[in-house]
Amino acid sequence: MPHPCSTINNICWSGKVDAGMAILLSPDHHLIEFPSTILPDGVTTGSVINVTIERNLDEERRRKAEFENTQKDILAQYTRVPVAPVLSVAHVTQTSARVTWTPPVLYGATLVGLDVYRSGTLQAQHVGLAATQAKLSGLEMDHKYDVHVVARTSAGLLKSNTVSLTTHTLDNLTGICVSFGLLTDQAEARSLAQLITQMGATSTEHLSTDNTHLVCVYGRGPKWEKAKEWNIPCVSPEFLKACSSNGRVMPSHSFYVEASADK
């Protein structure tokens, strides 16, 4: 048997030749079946053909390395364990809370759905696949809740860590997060901003569903319309003053601002 790296050169006589296969006869009388489609033109029975066979070790090594790398990529892609979301508490008030989480690391899996659980009960609210936060509403005051998120994936369920939160009591003003609508003047806005700081509450320039109240004098404008759409109480500045003077969160309905005509 020749060495694997050797080159075999032989002179063969062509036997039977048809459309698909040619029968070649070597000098030592071995029969070789050879595809006739790759024979030189004009080869017929009785033609003499030079046949050279050489093993391409460089190409073998290249293909072997390519195959092994593909195997490693498949192994790395489909054997890594997906990572569950990491949950944290972002904001808490007397009757609501907002939690946020990191997106699950799926690797080769597919995200099917996200579910939020409050003290073991699945919440009815819809959570989009791209969501990284959820607001829990209708909570009881001064009550502890355990919250976790479950990511439903094609590789199974990924449960986040469980976070505990306690809703505020009425005398805890830090949960108040207001945004300002139309006020009388800038002086009033600065005065209210100072009052909010003294109370330990917070304010935001832009209105979002995280805001607990919209503080305004006039019931109109884009913020007021959004607050109505999102069911955020629109209250007068007297609401903040009453909360500060009484040391507790006052009922919003006593300070509602109704719609007013445009000027």
Side-chain angles (χ1 to χ4, degrees):
M1 178 178 291
H3 190 275
C5 296
S6 65
T7 298
I8 302 176
N9 294 288
N10 244 325
I11 299 176
C12 298
W13 287 266
S14 176
K16 180 181 179 182
V17 180
D18 59 25
M21 191 67 65
I23 304 300
L24 306 182
L25 179 64
S26 68
D28 51 2
H29 309 294
H30 286 96
L31 291 178
I32 303 173
E33 292 186 351
F34 205 79
S36 60
T37 55
I38 61 175
L39 289 174
D41 293 337
V43 171
T44 61
T45 301
S47 297
V48 178
I49 303 166
N50 290 329
V51 179
T52 300
I53 302 174
E54 182 179 5
R55 185 177 181 183
N56 191 335
L57 293 179
D58 290 339
E59 182 63 15
E60 281 187 25
R61 284 189 287 267
R62 187 194 69 78
R63 293 191 180 190
K64 182 179 180 181
E66 182 181 3
F67 175 77
E68 290 177 347
N69 289 335
T70 300
Q71 293 290 83
K72 290 178 182 178
D73 291 341
I74 294 173
L75 183 66
Q77 179 70 16
Y78 294 101
T79 59
R80 287 183 290 184
V81 179
V83 181
V86 178
L87 190 65
S88 60
V89 179
H91 190 251
V92 179
T93 70
Q94 279 73 17
T95 59
S96 67
R98 182 170 61 90
V99 293
T100 62
W101 58 85
T102 58
V105 182
L106 300 175
Y107 296 119
T110 302
L111 183 61
V112 178
L114 288 167
D115 298 322
V116 179
Y117 286 81
R118 185 183 75 186
S119 297
T121 302
L122 174 63
Q123 300 301 285
Q125 67 193 96
H126 171 72
V127 180
L129 295 180
T132 55
Q133 64 176 354
K135 186 175 182 179
L136 308 176
S137 303
L139 307 182
E140 297 181 22
M141 283 190 299
D142 194 22
H143 192 84
K144 180 182 177 182
Y145 295 92
D146 294 325
V147 182
H148 71 272
V149 173
V150 173
R152 290 180 280 114
T153 77
S154 59
L157 301 179
L158 301 177
K159 180 182 177 182
S160 75
N161 57 305
T162 299
V163 295
S164 296
L165 60 91
T166 301
T167 51
H168 294 172
T169 56
L170 281 177
D171 58 358
N172 188 336
L173 304 180
T174 59
I176 297 176
C177 180
V178 306
S179 185
F180 293 115
L182 295 176
L183 299 174
T184 304
D185 51 40
Q186 289 298 318
E188 183 178 34
R190 288 192 295 269
S191 175
L192 292 175
Q194 293 175 355
L195 182 60
I196 287 173
T197 301
Q198 295 170 4
M199 293 165 52
T202 57
S203 64
T204 62
E205 179 181 355
H206 300 288
L207 183 71
S208 73
T209 54
D210 290 334
N211 291 110
T212 57
H213 301 81
L214 176 69
V215 177
C216 58
V217 173
Y218 306 106
R220 63 176 186 269
K223 279 190 176 182
W224 188 86
E225 293 175 359
K226 274 296 180 183
K228 287 298 182 180
E229 178 185 339
W230 293 337
N231 293 318
I232 297 175
C234 300
V235 296
S236 69
E238 299 304 317
F239 167 76
L240 293 177
K241 298 174 183 178
C243 291
S244 178
S245 60
N246 288 277
R248 60 195 295 266
V249 179
M250 301 302 292
S252 300
H253 63 81
S254 301
F255 304 92
Y256 280 164
V257 175
E258 301 299 332
S260 58
D262 293 336
K263 293 184 178 179

